[in-house]
Amino acid sequence: MRSVYRVLAYLVALEVVIQTALIAFAFFGLRKWIADGGVLDAAAIRNHTATYTGAEGITVHGVNGQMIVPVIAVLLLVASFFAKVPGGVLWAAITLVTVVVQVLLGIFGGAAAGLGVLHGVVAIGLFVIAVIAARRADVPVPAEPETPTSHHAAGIA
């Protein structure tokens, strides 16, 4: 189960990298499209008429970030209860809370550009947190302290 925990934590970190690549793909495609004469306005966004290389990156970024990443984070938390990773439950919970914050920043980021900045910063934090969680799976489980047994405690005279 420690391996499952490790893999799920590393998957969260990998998802941050994928999310970064997707949004960069979308942004640089949009930038080129506008430089080539494309016009992005409210109508183009509302009617999905802004078709450019990379436009699908925005959609996949949203679906991946709002559905796939949270599911992985929840699975990580569930696995943490069985994995016997020292501090594993704590780091899985921190990962999940950070994912929730990240999703909320993404959802409400359209209302305030400053939230977009936080969305990027929290993404870096999520990556670090997920890697720390994954590496916790390599920490040995502390041995149970041995209880000295005496003949009297065992009922032997």
Side-chain angles (χ1 to χ4, degrees):
M1 196 51 123
R2 287 169 73 94
S3 295
V4 170
Y5 177 92
R6 180 186 301 109
V7 167
L8 289 169
Y10 276 131
L11 274 175
V12 171
L14 177 62
E15 282 288 352
V16 173
V17 173
I18 290 168
Q19 289 292 87
T20 304
L22 286 169
I23 207 64
F25 178 55
F27 174 76
F28 286 108
L30 176 62
R31 189 170 137 190
K32 180 177 181 339
W33 181 70
I34 290 171
D36 291 345
V39 177
L40 183 66
D41 58 10
I45 293 170
R46 185 175 43 256
N47 301 326
H48 302 286
T49 57
T51 55
Y52 58 90
T53 301
E56 56 277 3
I58 293 173
T59 303
V60 177
H61 179 88
V63 170
N64 195 39
Q66 290 181 22
M67 299 170 100
I68 306 301
V69 177
V71 167
I72 296 169
V74 168
L75 290 173
L76 175 65
L77 183 60
V78 170
S80 73
F81 290 104
F82 304 101
K84 295 187 173 111
V85 171
V89 173
L90 174 65
W91 283 101
I94 292 169
T95 300
L96 180 58
V97 168
T98 307
V99 166
V100 169
V101 168
Q102 188 66 339
V103 168
L104 292 173
L105 287 169
I107 289 170
F108 297 114
L115 294 179
V117 172
L118 283 176
H119 188 68
V121 171
V122 171
I124 295 167
L126 177 58
F127 178 85
V128 170
I129 290 164
V131 169
I132 290 170
R135 294 185 53 101
R136 296 294 303 167
D138 296 329
V139 174
V141 178
E144 293 288 326
E146 290 188 32
T147 16
T149 57
S150 68
H151 295 287
H152 296 292
I156 301 172

